[in-house]
Amino acid sequence: MIELESNNHSVFSLNYHLVLVIKYRRKVLDDKISGRLREMFETLAPSYNITLKEWNHDIDHVHVLFSAHPKTELTKFLNAYKSASSRLIKKEHPEIRKKLWKEAFWSKSFCLITTGGASIDVIRKYIESQGEKD
């Protein structure tokens, strides 16, 4: 069953799978840093009508499942999030700077996929399994 959201004029279900990669795939993520990055996402998301559904990480990237409103400007949100989180995480965890090159935290690129081709449960299980050893 599809979970629908609505406003005064529309009904929608817009879910996205986002992958953000650390610049040059530097291995800087652990549970503490990923948790802080998630907090920053959750703080900024409501002002863009975005709702976090799932978050997980590996040592060099994060996977995010979120829903958005049809009017959400996704690239504006992503740019704001990447900029703010990069600045704050380097300030709060100065040891990360030693592992980065030229101060860049996130790669400029990102992967954003609509989740219409797979059920949310399949994507949620995939994200939950990230970083697990075989």
Side-chain angles (χ1 to χ4, degrees):
M1 186 79 174
I2 296 176
E3 187 177 319
L4 297 174
E5 298 179 53
S6 64
N7 61 19
N8 292 338
H9 304 290
S10 59
V11 176
F12 51 91
S13 176
L14 299 173
N15 295 291
Y16 299 91
H17 177 191
L18 170 66
V19 181
L20 294 174
V21 178
I22 305 300
K23 186 80 171 190
Y24 301 113
R25 291 251 183 204
R26 300 292 191 207
K27 296 168 178 33
V28 300
L29 295 177
D30 58 21
D31 290 342
K32 183 178 179 181
I33 292 170
S34 176
R36 182 64 179 117
L37 291 169
R38 178 184 176 145
E39 287 174 11
M40 291 179 219
F41 191 98
E42 290 174 315
T43 299
L44 186 60
S47 61
Y48 287 87
N49 293 309
I50 288 175
T51 303
L52 178 66
K53 295 188 173 243
E54 189 69 43
W55 178 285
N56 208 342
H57 72 280
D58 208 330
I59 55 177
D60 61 359
H61 65 279
V62 297
H63 285 266
V64 185
L65 179 64
F66 68 90
S67 63
H69 187 279
K71 291 185 178 182
T72 298
E73 295 181 82
L74 294 175
T75 55
K76 282 189 178 181
F77 167 73
L78 291 173
N79 288 335
Y81 171 72
K82 287 169 65 175
S83 176
S85 63
S86 175
R87 184 177 61 256
L88 289 172
I89 207 71
K90 289 184 295 186
K91 180 180 178 183
E92 295 172 9
H93 296 276
E95 70 277 8
I96 289 177
R97 291 178 184 267
K98 296 173 187 170
K99 297 180 181 180
L100 300 176
W101 189 65
K102 292 190 175 180
E103 294 291 313
F105 184 77
W106 296 112
S107 170
K108 288 183 182 179
S109 58
F110 58 86
C111 176
L112 182 64
I113 304 165
T114 58
T115 61
S119 74
I120 295 297
D121 289 336
V122 168
I123 294 168
R124 185 182 309 271
K125 287 177 185 170
Y126 171 74
I127 290 173
E128 288 173 353
S129 72
Q130 289 301 295
E132 292 180 2
K133 303 283 188 243
D134 291 337

